[in-house]
Amino acid sequence: MGERILVVDDAAFMRMMIKDILVKNGFEVVGEAADGAQAIEKFEELKPDLVTMDITMPEMDGITALKEIKKSHPQARIIMCSAMGQQAMVIDAIQAGAKDFIVKPFAADRVIEAIKKTLG
């Protein structure tokens, strides 16, 4: 274990929820970002093993950030997070290179399953 994860969500509460799930399951949260632009900066700085990325955020959305990160780091492993009813965006994200997606509100077992599958 001990994989390094970057958590991206505009809601501090959501970041805290994901972080809590990850830490309890032996993952290391190396950074957090509140929008897509911050996510790109943090990715460059921290080079995490995996990113959980919210889709809907101010400044820059998660899909734009995903595409930017994938341009310079095609091997990046990114799991998108979305609220119910954003299926079209999820499809866009997968086509842009996302490895998986998890739906809010988060179920801890689903989060861990997606992360293990992606890192595996």
Side-chain angles (χ1 to χ4, degrees), residues 47-58:
K47 305 282 191 280
D49 298 312
L50 184 134
V51 180
T52 65
M53 177 94 67
D54 187 20
I55 291 180
T56 312
M57 296 181 287

Side-chain angles (χ1 to χ4, degrees), residues 6 8 35-44 48 51 53 60 62-78 96:
L6 172 63
V8 184
D35 63 51
Q38 280 183 17
I40 295 165
E41 273 175 39
K42 291 278 187 187
F43 189 92
E44 291 297 335
V51 180
M53 177 94 67
M60 180 190 287
I63 294 175
T64 305
L66 164 75
K67 289 175 180 169
E68 285 300 310
I69 290 170
K70 282 291 205 178
K71 262 189 228 168
S72 47
H73 302 277
Q75 78 294 349
R77 292 181 286 205
I78 301 173

Side-chain angles (χ1 to χ4, degrees), residues 57-112:
M57 296 181 287
E59 305 303 320
M60 180 190 287
D61 67 76
I63 294 175
T64 305
L66 164 75
K67 289 175 180 169
E68 285 300 310
I69 290 170
K70 282 291 205 178
K71 262 189 228 168
S72 47
H73 302 277
Q75 78 294 349
R77 292 181 286 205
I78 301 173
I79 296 176
M80 303 308 286
C81 306
S82 74
M84 285 296 203
Q86 293 183 315
Q87 274 73 10
M89 288 181 179
V90 167
I91 291 165
D92 285 352
I94 300 290
Q95 288 170 339
K99 299 291 185 197
D100 203 344
F101 73 96
I102 42 183
V103 176
K104 296 176 184 177
F106 301 115
D109 54 350
R110 173 66 187 114
V111 172
I112 297 307

